[in-house]
Amino acid sequence: MKTALIIGNWKMNGVSSDLAEAMVLMKLLQVSNHRARVGLCAPPTLVERLARLLAASDILVGAGDCHAEANGPFTGDISAEMLADAGAKMVIVGHSERRATHNETDAMVGAKAAAAVRAGLEPVICVGETLAQRESGEALDVIGAQVFGSVPESLSNAGEIVSRVAVAYEPIWAIGTGLIPTIAQIEDAHRLIRETLVRRLGPAARGVNILYGGSVTPGNAAQILRADEVGGALVGRASLKAHHFMRIIEAA
Ligand code: PGA
């Protein structure tokens, strides 16, 4: 079994004073015998300071998005290379909040994932259906198409690199709502993602961590993380409090 990957997604939350919460997490991790790899994706303004603060820990610092180009006339954007330069090790791409509010397409998400790999970052590629798609029975078709379109083909047969890519299944209706799919629905989605990844990237895709995200809490994490093909979690709200996040990490 591959080591589980538990990633906190701070979204657009976090100012200097919240660095204390990251320090608490680091201290909690140092005295726990957890087995997961842990990531913390924060606003870009905090990446450099977090990377410095957490340098003595195994926590992988990351960001919530990157641009596909390495540099150029893209005012306000940040490239994967810049994040790596600031000390980041991973980056979330294609989160549904960005797909919705920045009109990001699968092709754009795929380009960002390829940029992350180019810069030496681990991309966390997000997919997931809307409630309407779930209710009309289209969820698996939507998820399969998103994986196929958002995972760059350039990673096929990339061997070792492929195992540093993660895919997060995040049903949009479960994000921040307190609702979660049934374990059977999660397993169906994760098995489909695995099959699609192997079809797209070859056998090395068996090493990709497929994370579940959407209203993961200390209360439901253990059950979700035990489900077939669930290789970790992408945690929003519950990652903002170190003690809550720690309980999810320990459930892995
Ligand atoms: P949530 O967010 O845990 O607050 O539902 C998850 C996410 O959007 O990554």
Side-chain angles (χ1 to χ4, degrees):
M1 259 291 277
K2 212 182 158 189
T3 308
L5 182 57
I6 308 292
I7 302 176
N9 175 12
W10 278 12
K11 309 192 179 186
M12 198 175 76
N13 299 293
V15 291
S16 304
S17 55
D18 296 305
L19 294 172
E21 210 58 41
M23 289 296 289
V24 173
L25 178 67
M26 182 170 87
K27 299 220 165 85
L28 290 173
L29 281 168
Q30 278 164 350
V31 294
S32 91
N33 56 359
H34 68 96
R35 285 184 307 228
R37 290 175 81 219
V38 179
L40 202 50
C41 289
T45 49
L46 293 183
V47 165
E48 185 156 6
R49 277 179 287 172
L50 272 176
R52 233 179 300 126
L53 267 179
L54 303 178
S57 77
D58 296 330
I59 302 173
L60 301 157
V61 175
D65 180 52
C66 67
H67 196 278
E69 300 293 332
N71 49 54
F74 305 101
T75 303
D77 279 314
I78 296 181
S79 71
E81 281 78 0
M82 290 168 177
L83 292 171
D85 183 50
K89 303 282 184 234
M90 60 168 52
V91 63
I92 297 169
V93 294
H95 191 283
S96 59
E97 287 154 11
R98 291 203 60 87
R99 289 179 186 261
T101 60
H102 292 74
N103 300 318
E104 291 190 7
T105 62
D106 289 340
M108 288 160 74
V109 174
K112 289 176 180 218
V117 171
R118 179 187 71 214
L121 302 180
E122 300 187 23
V124 182
I125 304 167
C126 300
V127 299
E129 80 284 1
T130 62
L131 185 58
Q133 289 163 337
R134 169 59 64 184
E135 287 176 344
S136 65
E138 297 167 86
L140 292 179
D141 289 342
V142 168
I143 297 161
Q146 283 181 338
V147 172
F148 210 83
S150 309
V151 173
E153 200 174 13
S154 57
L155 292 181
S156 46
N157 303 314
E160 166 62 14
I161 291 175
V162 174
S163 62
R164 293 197 300 107
V165 172
V167 172
Y169 168 54
E170 297 209 306
I172 295 169
W173 50 275
I175 296 175
T177 58
L179 303 171
I180 54 163
T182 64
I183 294 298
Q185 286 171 333
I186 293 175
E187 290 182 335
D188 285 348
H190 282 234
R191 287 187 194 120
L192 173 87
I193 291 169
R194 178 73 68 204
E195 277 166 32
T196 311
L197 285 171
V198 171
R199 231 174 343 116
R200 183 108 170 110
L201 304 179
R206 299 213 178 278
V208 170
N209 281 93
I210 305 174
L211 318 181
Y212 169 78
S215 296
V216 176
T217 64
N220 62 26
Q223 195 193 10
I224 293 170
L225 289 165
R226 265 199 310 272
D228 188 33
E229 288 289 11
V230 174
L234 183 54
V235 184
R237 199 168 9 180
S239 73
L240 294 170
K241 286 274 161 260
H243 283 89
H244 290 182
F245 192 39
M246 190 60 217
R247 283 167 61 201
I248 294 171
I249 293 164
E250 284 185 328

